[in-house]
Amino acid sequence: MFNMESPSGLRGLTLLSLLLLPSLASAAALDLRDPVPAGYASPPYYPAPYGGWVSDWSSAYGKAVALVSRMTVAEKVNITAGTGMYMQLFFQGRCVGNSGSAPRVGFPQLCLQDGPLGVRTTDNITAFPAGITTGATWSKDLMHQRGVAMGEEFRGKGVNFYLGPSVGALGRQPRGGRNWEGFGSDPVLQAVAGAATIKGVQEQGVISTLKHYIANEQEIYRMYNPLQQAYSANIDDRTLHELYLWPFAEGVRAGTGAVMTAYNAVNGSACSQNAYLINGVLKDELGFQGLVMTDWLAQISGVASALAGLDMSMPGDTFGNNIPLLGYSNWMYELTRSVLNGSVPVDRLNDMATRVVAAWYKMGQDAADYPLPNFSSNTADRVGPLYPGALISPSGVVNEYVNVQANHKTVAKQVAQEAITLLKNDNSFLPITTSAPLFVFGTDAQADSNGINSCTDKTCNRGLLGMGWGSGSANYPYLDDPISSLKRKAANVTYYNTDSFPTVAAAKTGDVAIVFISSDSGENSYTVENNHGDRDASGLSAWHNGDALVQKAAAAYSNVVVVVHTVGPIIMEPWINLPSVKSVLVAHLPGQEAGDSLTEVLFGQVSPSGHLPYSIPVSESDYPASVSIKTSPTLSQIQDTYSEGLYIDYRHLNKAGVKPRFAFGHGLSYTSFSFSNATISRTGGQLSSTPPARPAKPVSPVAAISTSLPAAADAYYPTGFNKIWRYLSRGPRGGGASGGNPALWDVAYTLSVTVTNKGTTASGKAVAQAYVQFPAASSNGGFDTPVIQLRDFAKSATLAPGKSATLQLQLTRKDVSVWDTKTQNWIVPSPGGRYGVWIGQASDDLSVVCYTDTLACVIGAQSPV
Ligand SMILES: *[C@@H]1O[C@H](CO)[C@@H](O)[C@H](O)[C@H]1NC(C)=O
Ligand SMILES: *[C@@H]1O[C@H](CO)[C@@H](O)[C@H](O)[C@H]1NC(C)=O
Ligand SMILES: *[C@@H]1O[C@H](CO)[C@@H](O)[C@H](O)[C@H]1NC(C)=O
Ligand SMILES: *[C@@H]1O[C@H](CO)[C@@H](O)[C@H](O)[C@H]1NC(C)=O
Ligand SMILES: *[C@@H]1O[C@H](CO)[C@@H](O)[C@H](O)[C@H]1NC(C)=O
Ligand SMILES: *[C@@H]1O[C@H](CO)[C@@H](O)[C@H](O)[C@H]1NC(C)=O
Ligand SMILES: CC(=O)N[C@H]1CO[C@H](CO)[C@@H](O)[C@@H]1O
């Protein structure tokens, strides 16, 4: 989402565009674009499917249809758009998005609020660990618990829509600015964590908003502006389904009430009005019943976006072709006009309004005890204008400072701690004792001395890096920084709060140096140390000369521990093999609980149990050029073609036979685990190559809402204008229910494996990762597939030395299918063929395999990686 809480949020290209706009906003500028590469096209897909035909939404739709049937056109229009950014900037609106209401029939204004890791721009909340940190826990339970806690906080502040989770960016581009808001560079890791978050949040009655649909993989040039079109991500159908759409399908299946479109285009068509993506893929194939909203100021048309399936415009103003500050809207009064003149059929408006109202009923927000917003995202003052947008407004209380933290710091700390990933630990150097003399280096060890929230939206990398920057950030209520925690626990701590290595006394035997380094990224609305959201300036290197700091510490001390706070992979080659660098811990982006979560690991109170949610390559050039950040010297539309197809992150490295420094899924413990007694069983008999036919699509109750126009005098159809028949009677084969054909989630294979703590001293938690290896293309219907692909994972409870646990893993029909572009269906190309299910502790540490043909498992097998 774009930043609009304060005038300072408008910066860089955005502000420039606004200033240049009056003279330069011409259609001609917007028309400039390079041709979309041959073969890539976004096919038309009309009409927009109605919601209301999936059974678990029936009750909500029943009530919504009844309410919308009583609404006038003006009321329906009012609830499909925000009341505008203008109010946000100068009149202190409560939330980052505020929809119009229909008070006559009792439908309230709804509050939409960032962001994925906590309630943004307010106080008395918890700053949870970021998505990438959550992914690194590999704990389904913690993913859900964090969602529950966040849901409680959004609800407590009176928020209707949680603007998260983010599963797009998926993490295709290692430098991508917002990868950290999601859960890792793998569709299944994103899907599991995203769905668990959605469930946790929505169980509290808050509508989750799955975003950004789709392919918002880089930040630079993401937005349409008066001078240039947003980049086009050109993606083939199979890659879309098997990678980028996968977590959206799981999120829809988990019941997300809303989906937010991305700023960018796909195949040359803007995501906010891409009929194929919204009407076709999302609403028809995935059977999405909730509402589709734009990212902030992403809407670039009125009629076209309505017909393409968009249901809500946020924050309500125009941008791509007009100035957002003057109160113009592509919808609102223009949508009324479009309905009255027949360009947008009444039933489309009915469906838009019903989707909004149905999501509200589905989460139970009609209950009398659902709080109204009790904070202002624009001011920390207690008193402000009561009626944002009005030129003259009485003042009143706008911040009640409701404390919503409860005991959420416990789950926040648990996530931060279980994410900590031990990459290297020579001779079991860690854990260390609290009596060791500690010499701590790096500004990243201590909270920003200018104040923990001194940079708007965390737009500086000063002091400890607990989250990236932009709309995905939140205020810290407090920050438990590592240096304070170290000083609390250790007997002898010397801290050098600098990133340039100082002069130090000669090291003594037993001295330990702990070096803190970081790498930051964020949203393109801000530039930080020349990085325009993406890490375009820093690349994958540690910021602030972190490599030199580690090298110099390694020259002065013979025992060095490196702690990395980072948004994604950093290249560690300048120091990883130095003999003094004994141990490396990646603490990701820990949020407010950065201190004790880390030091308890350093001092051995708990073993680290995080695993990398991405690969750490030896060199960035180990990846194909197609996943680099795209820029263009001209104002034409950037064409970002996903020519690498399915081959991103470990899928690429394995195919190319390139060893990373640390593989996807890697993570050490203070103990070691063995895997034994693996079993596989077929559930429900031999698979057929295609899933059972999708269930029939029932008639939607939305069809029953009157489509008559209010009064002849107010409406006209141009002569000869053809009104299109707008009801879909059958859907795509891949569809059938929320997420797609329900048979895709039939459990095909159930596996179990026993993990045993082989150590004698430390307790720890084991993670079992299950990767599928499809039969070779020659016996797989010609479908080329990545060597291995993550399909499921499980984390054990804490195991004392010698103790075992049995972990269960599952493969669904979809997990052993490929997307067949010809039949537009998920198929199992060789149902009786030999799929290997590889189980282990990392994508390059797989020693157990179970075969789907013989149903035999082998321990100590030679992994394909
Ligand atoms: C993009 O174009 C490719 C190639 O024609 C096609 O397979 C795919 O379905 C298109 N995707 C979208 C979202 O239009
Ligand atoms: C539209 O929404 C605004 C803001 O909530 C509200 O003040 C106004 O009364 C609504 N209009 C109608 C027609 O209900
Ligand atoms: C809650 O907010 C108020 C006002 O900003 C502040 O004084 C108070 O310290 C906050 N409480 C907590 C627990 O953060
Ligand atoms: C109907 O109104 C909309 C909004 O003003 C406008 O964009 C569209 O061109 C109009 N259609 C016709 C057929 O006049
Ligand atoms: C702290 O460590 C330093 C360096 O090893 C040592 O010289 C000093 O005596 C220690 N101080 C205490 C109080 O142990
Ligand atoms: C092996 O796994 C099966 C299935 O979970 C379980 O019933 C059995 O007890 C396990 N055996 C051992 C020795 O752990
Ligand atoms: C103005 C308002 O509705 N404030 C609400 C803030 O939240 C608390 C607790 O969640 C409610 O009790 C208040 O009604």
Side-chain angles (χ1 to χ4, degrees):
M1 159 175 321
F2 183 81
N3 294 286
M4 17 74 76
E5 283 63 38
S6 61
S8 66
L10 288 170
R11 281 197 193 155
L13 181 64
T14 308
L15 183 56
L16 178 75
S17 324
L18 293 176
L19 296 174
L20 292 177
L21 213 141
S23 55
L24 287 178
S26 70
L30 258 184
D31 287 345
L32 254 186
R33 90 175 190 205
D34 290 346
V36 175
Y40 291 93
S42 214
Y45 197 107
Y46 300 96
Y50 296 147
W53 51 271
V54 168
S55 60
D56 59 350
W57 282 76
S58 296
S59 154
Y61 265 87
K63 294 182 220 167
V65 163
L67 191 76
V68 171
S69 296
R70 292 166 48 217
M71 288 185 183
T72 65
V73 167
E75 285 166 338
K76 294 175 199 172
V77 161
N78 211 33
I79 67 170
T80 64
T83 52
M85 174 166 166
Y86 184 51
M87 302 175 204
Q88 289 296 327
L89 280 168
F90 302 110
F91 290 93
Q92 307 181 0
R94 285 249 177 170
C95 305
V96 302
N98 306 280
S99 69
S101 57
R104 188 186 58 86
V105 296
F107 191 74
Q109 182 163 47
L110 302 179
C111 158
L112 298 85
Q113 188 69 11
D114 293 317
L117 61 65
V119 192
R120 182 184 175 202
T121 51
T122 185
D123 45 58
N124 294 277
I125 54 109
T126 303
F128 289 91
I132 200 71
T133 317
T134 310
T137 66
W138 295 68
S139 165
K140 294 178 180 176
D141 182 41
L142 283 178
M143 291 165 178
H144 179 251
Q145 282 187 42
R146 173 178 171 270
V148 168
M150 289 199 300
E152 286 174 4
E153 298 206 356
F154 277 80
R155 183 187 179 119
K157 290 284 186 185
V159 176
N160 300 90
F161 287 81
Y162 159 67
L163 299 177
S166 172
V167 296
L170 180 100
R172 168 189 183 236
Q173 291 163 238
R175 293 186 180 202
R178 297 179 79 180
N179 294 349
W180 61 273
E181 295 185 42
F183 306 98
S185 299
D186 177 274
V188 168
L189 193 52
Q190 293 273 6
V192 169
T197 307
I198 289 166
K199 286 190 177 144
V201 166
Q202 294 196 159
E203 280 156 12
Q204 314 318 311
V206 178
I207 303 169
S208 78
T209 309
L210 189 59
K211 65 188 191 180
H212 309 83
Y213 185 68
I214 197 167
N216 186 174
E217 297 293 329
Q218 82 168 40
E219 280 297 285
I220 305 175
Y221 301 109
R222 64 183 175 153
M223 279 180 93
Y224 282 75
N225 67 57
L227 305 179
Q228 188 176 25
Q229 303 199 34
Y231 64 77
S232 172
N234 305 313
I235 316 178
D236 67 82
D237 192 27
R238 186 173 164 212
T239 301
L240 182 83
H241 278 82
E242 293 188 24
L243 282 190
Y244 301 96
L245 188 65
W246 190 290
F248 284 95
E250 293 289 334
V252 170
R253 186 172 146 80
T256 190
V259 169
M260 184 194 290
T261 61
Y263 283 122
N264 53 279
V266 168
N267 287 7
S269 170
C271 287
S272 61
Q273 55 182 32
N274 187 314
Y276 177 77
L277 282 173
I278 306 176
N279 286 341
V281 177
L282 183 60
K283 290 188 172 174
D284 219 2
E285 186 186 322
L286 301 189
F288 178 56
Q289 305 291 303
L291 66 114
V292 179
M293 72 174 76
T294 60
D295 203 335
W296 266 230
L297 300 176
Q299 193 187 32
I300 57 170
S301 71
V303 173
S305 58
L307 298 183
L310 186 71
D311 303 307
M312 186 183 270
S313 167
M314 274 293 150
D317 328 66
T318 61
F319 184 60
N321 48 13
N322 220 313
I323 302 177
L325 304 183
L326 300 184
Y328 293 128
S329 180
N330 284 310
W331 280 2
M332 288 293 190
Y333 48 89
E334 293 291 357
L335 183 56
T336 304
R337 200 177 274 166
S338 307
V339 169
L340 295 180
N341 73 15
S343 287
V344 172
V346 179
D347 69 337
R348 177 73 268 266
L349 178 65
N350 289 342
D351 180 59
M352 288 160 65
T354 309
R355 284 173 179 271
V356 173
V357 177
W360 178 77
Y361 276 124
K362 180 89 163 69
M363 308 306 151
Q365 295 189 355
D366 55 317
D369 69 347
Y370 201 89
L372 292 169
N374 49 40
F375 70 103
S376 165
S377 64
N378 210 36
T379 177
D381 296 342
R382 176 172 291 273
V383 171
L386 280 181
Y387 305 113
L391 278 173
I392 299 162
S393 166
S395 280
V397 173
V398 292
N399 271 308
E400 281 90 344
Y401 306 113
V402 176
N403 189 325
V404 293
Q405 296 163 331
N407 62 349
H408 300 150
K409 68 176 182 201
T410 310
V411 62
K413 179 183 163 197
Q414 192 70 14
V415 171
Q417 185 160 76
E418 288 206 21
I420 292 174
T421 311
L422 178 63
L423 297 182
K424 171 181 178 177
N425 198 22
D426 279 2
N427 303 321
S428 300
F429 181 73
L430 286 179
I432 50 176
T433 65
T434 51
S435 57
L438 303 181
F439 296 85
V440 182
F441 300 90
T443 56
D444 178 60
Q446 179 167 293
D448 182 353
S449 46
N450 294 15
I452 51 177
N453 296 310
S454 58
C455 294
T456 308
D457 289 329
K458 301 287 171 289
T459 45
C460 59
N461 183 6
R462 206 164 55 206
L464 177 105
L465 182 70
M467 59 184 80
W469 75 77
S471 60
S473 66
N475 289 334
Y476 293 116
Y478 61 84
L479 178 53
D480 177 28
D481 60 11
I483 195 63
S484 310
S485 177
L486 284 168
K487 286 179 174 166
R488 280 196 299 272
K489 292 182 184 202
N492 192 346
V493 178
T494 309
Y495 178 43
Y496 298 95
N497 187 7
T498 170
D499 295 320
S500 317
F501 196 73
T503 306
V504 295
K508 301 200 184 80
T509 314
D511 287 358
V512 177
I514 307 179
V515 185
F516 285 82
I517 60 175
S518 70
S519 176
D520 199 0
S521 73
E523 200 178 11
N524 177 242
S525 33
Y526 300 102
T527 298
V528 178
E529 300 187 31
N530 292 321
N531 293 280
H532 297 83
D534 306 312
R535 292 187 282 174
D536 56 329
S538 71
L540 304 187
S541 295
W543 285 32
H544 307 153
N545 297 314
D547 290 340
L549 189 65
V550 177
Q551 286 166 335
K552 288 177 181 165
Y557 297 88
S558 50
N559 295 315
V560 176
V561 175
V562 181
V563 177
V564 189
H565 288 118
T566 182
V567 290
I570 66 164
I571 300 296
M572 300 180 171
E573 296 310 299
W575 43 264
I576 190 68
N577 283 327
L578 295 176
S580 324
V581 174
K582 294 290 192 292
S583 306
V584 179
L585 289 166
V586 176
H588 307 280
L589 301 173
Q592 71 184 38
E593 303 297 334
D596 286 354
S597 61
L598 175 73
T599 57
E600 287 170 11
V601 169
L602 282 171
F603 298 127
Q605 243 169 292
V606 287
S607 290
S609 65
H611 289 256
L612 284 177
Y614 43 73
S615 307
I616 294 187
V618 170
S619 160
E620 204 181 346
S621 63
D622 290 342
Y623 288 121
S626 61
V627 304
S628 60
I629 300 297
K630 309 303 178 315
T631 57
S632 168
T634 70
L635 284 177
S636 66
Q637 182 183 44
I638 289 167
Q639 299 300 323
D640 185 4
T641 299
Y642 286 33
S643 53
E644 75 286 346
L646 300 172
Y647 298 98
I648 62 165
D649 201 274
Y650 68 92
R651 289 166 168 78
H652 163 76
L653 297 171
N654 291 343
K655 180 186 163 107
V658 174
K659 289 252 171 264
R661 176 55 56 196
F662 296 109
F664 177 85
H666 173 74
L668 304 172
S669 172
Y670 293 155
T671 185
S672 60
F673 300 100
S674 65
F675 284 52
S676 62
N677 189 31
T679 65
I680 180 170
S681 59
R682 197 178 276 135
T683 323
Q686 176 72 57
L687 288 173
S688 51
S689 67
T690 51
R694 57 163 292 164
K697 186 174 174 182
V699 173
S700 162
V702 175
I705 305 177
S706 166
T707 55
S708 58
L709 288 170
D714 294 343
Y716 70 93
Y717 289 109
T719 41
F721 184 77
N722 270 340
K723 202 162 175 287
I724 310 159
W725 183 58
R726 311 209 62 81
Y727 178 64
L728 267 189
S729 58
R730 67 166 195 80
R733 283 183 214 175
S738 291
N741 186 340
L744 296 174
W745 284 273
D746 288 349
V747 177
Y749 299 96
T750 307
L751 298 101
S752 74
V753 67
T754 302
V755 292
T756 305
N757 182 343
K758 285 194 305 187
T760 52
T761 49
S763 298
K765 292 189 175 186
V767 169
Q769 306 171 17
Y771 296 81
V772 67
Q773 179 184 25
F774 279 69
S778 54
S779 46
N780 191 44
F783 286 95
D784 190 30
T785 48
V787 181
I788 53 168
Q789 304 189 73
L790 182 71
R791 285 300 190 243
D792 199 5
F793 55 88
K795 192 168 195 172
S796 75
T798 302
L799 297 175
K803 292 285 183 251
S804 298
T806 300
L807 300 177
Q808 309 289 335
L809 300 156
Q810 287 185 342
L811 259 63
T812 63
R813 167 183 278 280
K814 192 176 175 189
D815 289 331
V816 291
S817 297
V818 293
W819 177 253
D820 181 41
T821 59
K822 280 198 216 77
T823 59
Q824 291 289 295
N825 205 354
W826 291 96
I827 61 164
V828 186
S830 59
R834 165 162 287 218
Y835 289 78
V837 186
W838 291 90
I839 302 173
Q841 313 186 65
S843 66
D844 67 344
D845 181 7
L846 301 168
S847 59
V848 176
V849 64
C850 295
Y851 294 109
T852 58
D853 52 351
T854 56
L855 301 181
C857 298
V858 179
I859 310 285
Q862 179 65 45
S863 118
V865 175

